Amino acid sequence: MNIVFSRDSQVRGMDNTVANTEKYFGQFCSLLAAYTRKTARLRNKADQLVKQLIDFANSENPELRATMRGFAEDLAKVQDYRQAQVERLETKVVNPLKLYGAQIKQTRAEIKKFKRVQNREIKQLEKLEKLRQKSPWDRQMISQAETRVQRAAMDSSRTTLQLEETVDAFQRQKLKDLQTFFSNFVTIEMVFHAKALEVYSSAFQTLEKYDLERDLQDFRAKMQGVYGHYNTQPLANTNPSPSVLQSLASQSTIRSPGKEGEESEDDSMEEAPVEDLRALRQRPNARELPTTVRRT
């Protein structure tokens, strides 16, 4: 009977190992799936930012327009890398965790099988003990009961050995898979951040090279072309001479500059609108989010 109790304690330990794996792997799966969805939402928001940068650039002067165009292109490249990050997280981390439930289910089935065998052994032992107490003189019945107990004990021993091998293999595979899952996770993150850092460095350089003064000169020139140039210096003598008064009286009303001159000058200052980024045409602004990962 002590052997039976020892096996029962051993099986409880195996059962706890599988239950612990089911609990924490399920939590890992849920959290990493949420992490992937958040990353996808961040990618979509960044795509919207790129689009707004393009629209803004189309409304600005040439110098700022070129700077914002280059900056938007770099941000779009980062989102391409983020898209690859999302896809790899789903493929190499989240989906394998989702499928891990099948291995847990199979191991649990082996444990249940052993428990059935163990229960038969316990019942045969209980019958033998009752028979010895009620009919200690019936050697034939006691001998048959002892034979059944021996068979049940052999089945239980054989099943215990098989279960030990199964759970040992399960534990080995679990540890190996855990190492693989998180190694893949870290590798995916490192690749993304390395590439993103390179592109962000380029974006920083683009912003640093922006010539603010040149843009202001273009802006002031455009404003002067629209409203005209006024000399703000005061006149030396504000009282016109009689000859000037006579000359002004003889002149017709002064005309303002024609609109044709203004339009042609404005047209000369305008630039062709910035073309949409090639990356945005290839990739929609709002990609689909990853599917919800069920807990195993």
Side-chain angles (χ1 to χ4, degrees), residues 56-158:
F56 172 71
N58 287 335
S59 66
E60 288 296 323
N61 293 325
E63 187 71 19
L64 183 58
R65 183 180 303 182
T67 299
M68 288 295 100
R69 180 179 183 275
F71 181 57
E73 286 177 346
D74 286 335
L75 286 185
K77 288 179 183 177
V78 173
Q79 303 328 304
D80 288 338
Y81 294 139
R82 205 184 299 276
Q83 170 67 14
Q85 177 193 19
V86 170
E87 293 174 354
R88 289 167 183 167
L89 284 172
E90 283 190 287
T91 302
K92 295 188 175 183
V93 180
V94 177
N95 288 339
L97 278 169
K98 288 170 62 178
L99 298 175
Y100 212 81
Q103 299 183 38
I104 294 175
K105 184 178 180 180
Q106 181 179 358
T107 307
R108 280 194 177 280
E110 293 294 329
I111 293 176
K112 288 181 179 179
K113 178 182 176 181
F114 171 78
K115 286 182 177 180
R116 289 194 296 268
V117 174
Q118 187 183 43
N119 289 334
R120 286 198 297 267
E121 181 184 11
I122 293 173
K123 288 180 180 179
Q124 294 299 329
L125 283 170
E126 290 175 349
K127 289 180 180 180
L128 176 60
E129 290 299 324
K130 290 180 180 179
L131 186 61
R132 284 174 175 173
Q133 291 176 4
K134 290 182 178 181
S135 306
W137 58 85
D138 193 345
R139 298 304 305 169
Q140 183 177 1
M141 292 292 296
I142 292 175
S143 178
Q144 292 176 356
E146 288 176 345
T147 301
R148 288 193 293 268
V149 168
Q150 290 176 357
R151 290 176 181 174
M154 291 176 61
D155 290 340
S156 182
S157 178
R158 183 175 61 254

Side-chain angles (χ1 to χ4, degrees), residues 14 34 46 86 101 129-130 141 156 169 174 213 222 233 246 248 271 293:
M14 296 177 183
V86 170
E129 290 299 324
K130 290 180 180 179
M141 292 292 296
S156 182
K174 180 194 78 173
E213 293 299 329
K222 187 174 182 179
Q233 304 226 347
Q246 184 179 0
L248 290 173
E271 297 288 336
V293 180

